[in-house]
Amino acid sequence: MMSRYEIRFAGSGGQGIILAAVIAGEAAALYEENLYVVQTQSYGPEARGGKSKAEVVISTVPIDYPKVTRPNLQVILTQQACEEFSADTLPGGRIIFDDSFVTDFPQVDAYIYQLPISRIAREQLGRELVTNMVALGAVARVLELENIVRPESVKKAILEKVPAGTKELNAKAFDEGYQVFKKSLHL
């Protein structure tokens, strides 16, 4: 792993962007060893439906600057977020797009993955509310490939964070996201 790895989740308020980033950060900070983690977030004044982004910096050395500047990995769930944030991606980084809401893809020097994130939540799991957990499953696969965080650490962080009656649904959403990324091809 490089000394600093930056992740940005971007979409609209109500998609669970902030919770996804918090869980990704907790997975690295609480269930992995020798990592420093900072999580930040911002959202528009209209909150639900407005712009939302949440970021995680994971590092093997103390973090001197807490903000993401050139994300290694971006998870982008809306076209508006795509237009605003895609160009920030570190050259050679990865961008995961929700193919239901992002249809016009940018020309960037990054591996691009078009995944049916919200469609899986809605059609396979019956709850669009778990879109963020599907996205986290895909993120967990990337973090595993990069040798940063183990998928079981992300899943454990999810199960510690979500309400008791939703643990099974959230775990299934995570598993679906992990598998859909595992089977995907980048463009």
Side-chain angles (χ1 to χ4, degrees), residues 2 70-72 86-94 108-111:
M2 61 189 66
R70 300 289 280 174
N72 303 78
S86 293
D88 296 346
T89 307
L90 184 74
R94 302 178 200 245
V108 291
D109 178 12
Y111 295 99

Side-chain angles (χ1 to χ4, degrees), residues 1-7 34-36 57-61 63 70-73 90-94 142-143 145-149:
M1 173 184 142
M2 61 189 66
S3 62
R4 181 181 174 102
Y5 192 87
E6 299 181 349
I7 306 168
N34 304 316
L35 293 177
Y36 296 87
V57 176
I58 302 170
S59 179
T60 55
V61 298
I63 297 168
R70 300 289 280 174
N72 303 78
L73 171 62
L90 184 74
R94 302 178 200 245
V142 172
L143 294 177
L145 292 170
E146 301 282 351
N147 292 314
I148 297 170
V149 176

Side-chain angles (χ1 to χ4, degrees), residues 80-140:
Q80 182 182 11
C82 172
E83 292 161 10
E84 185 168 348
F85 299 118
S86 293
D88 296 346
T89 307
L90 184 74
R94 302 178 200 245
I95 307 174
I96 297 171
F97 290 112
D98 184 339
D99 70 5
S100 294
F101 298 107
V102 181
T103 54
D104 188 17
F105 301 99
Q107 293 296 315
V108 291
D109 178 12
Y111 295 99
I112 292 178
Y113 305 85
Q114 300 172 27
L115 303 180
I117 296 170
S118 60
R119 197 165 62 243
I120 288 170
R122 185 175 52 253
E123 295 172 11
Q124 289 180 238
L125 303 165
R127 299 288 310 271
E128 199 156 346
L129 189 66
V130 294
T131 295
N132 57 346
M133 298 302 153
V134 176
L136 266 174
V139 166

